[in-house]
Amino acid sequence: MWSKVPDNPYLLLTPGPLSTSKKVRAAMLRDWCTWDDDYNIDVVEDIRRRLVRYATSSPDDYTAVLMQGSGSFGVEACLGTAVPGSGKLLLIANGAYGMRMVRFMETMGRSFRLLSFDETEQADPEAVKGVLNEDTAITHVAVVFCETTTGILNPVERICSLAKKMGKATIVDAMSAFGGIPMDMEKMGIDYMISSSNKCVQGVPGFSFVIARKSELEKCEGNAHSYSLDLYDQWKTMDGKGKWRFTSPTHTVRAFQQALNELDEEGGIEKRYGRYSENQRILSEGMDALGYRPLLPQSVQSPIITAFMYPYEDFDFGKFYRAMKSRGFVLYPGKVSKAETFRIGNIGEIYPEDIKRLLKTIEEVKI
Ligand SMILES: *Cc1c(COP(=O)(O)O)cnc(C)c1O
């Protein structure tokens, strides 16, 4: 069937939406009714169960709630539902996605404290501990797993386990990490983790999901700042029944199930992490040989996306971008405030051979 699906004109070397397989796209070529078991149970409930199993070794203690909209809708739903009006959130930020959480909290009018770090620096668990010791009003802690702004990894396990020891609930934006980096929410001390359909699971855009510790989410009835973004209500409607409160993005959801099948076939998250890491290694070594320096030291670099410095002062990224796109590769502009950078993603239906072709093409275009 998928032979009829058109091919992509270029590879997306971006942090999402990203290049998907033909079978994932082909899975969208039929319609579904949202009141029958063949969608609600066989697709939605199946996905929820499998997500929890991928997220933790204690699946009985966690649940997955799917939410319409892109990843940001999931983050806003999670913050607004998990942190009550009487609570206070410690927000840890070292990039644009950490700062986006600040905007959500400000807009919702909820109480928070910001602990920020330089964009090229990991969040420091000792500093987190210091703030938690000093500000006892804090009830929740939120951090970004892989800050896609730069591709930096944060020490999520150290931060979350110390926060848990101090009695705080923990929220992790693992948008660009889940599915591509092995993690065990229970072992890492994570209560809520947010990701979306179009990142490392390699589905198409359209919904986000929150994997939550049931005993925490159970406390959240009536907390939400918004009617449609009420994660608790969405959970209670969906759980066991596969029903979404409002129209469900059926085609995207079915494509996501196919993406999970392909994650299984690849051998799971550990194997996918291996492929992404190999992509990243070949990319950074090859770029180095071509004279492009990475923004981050390799010790804090994720296998998800890599930021490169402009190779010389008047580097014309627009020209480079167009030359690369016409040769089949879409790159990504930079987002760092203090340096001129561009980014190359390693995630999606991308293999070491693609990265090798990419490097050869970069060498040829000579911008
Ligand atoms: C992609 C991403 C998001 C969500 O962005 P959307 O544009 O809403 O999909 C949030 N956090 C991180 C770290 C991301 O990489």
Side-chain angles (χ1 to χ4, degrees), residues 15-16 69-75 97-98 100 104 144-149 173-177 196 198-199:
S70 77
S72 299
F73 292 70
V75 178
Y97 292 102
R100 189 176 290 178
F104 292 140
V144 179
F145 200 122
C146 167
E147 187 33 277
T148 322
T149 309
D173 171 351
M175 205 70 63
S176 61
S196 76
N198 62 277
K199 302 253 174 162

Side-chain angles (χ1 to χ4, degrees), residues 25 32 45 74 80 118 144 215-216 218 252-253 256 268 278 300 304 311 323 337 342 361:
R25 284 173 281 132
W32 298 86
E45 287 296 288
D118 192 90
V144 179
S215 58
E216 285 294 326
E218 203 58 78
T252 295
V253 173
F256 188 77
E278 181 69 353
V300 299
I304 304 299
S337 37
F342 66 91
T361 309

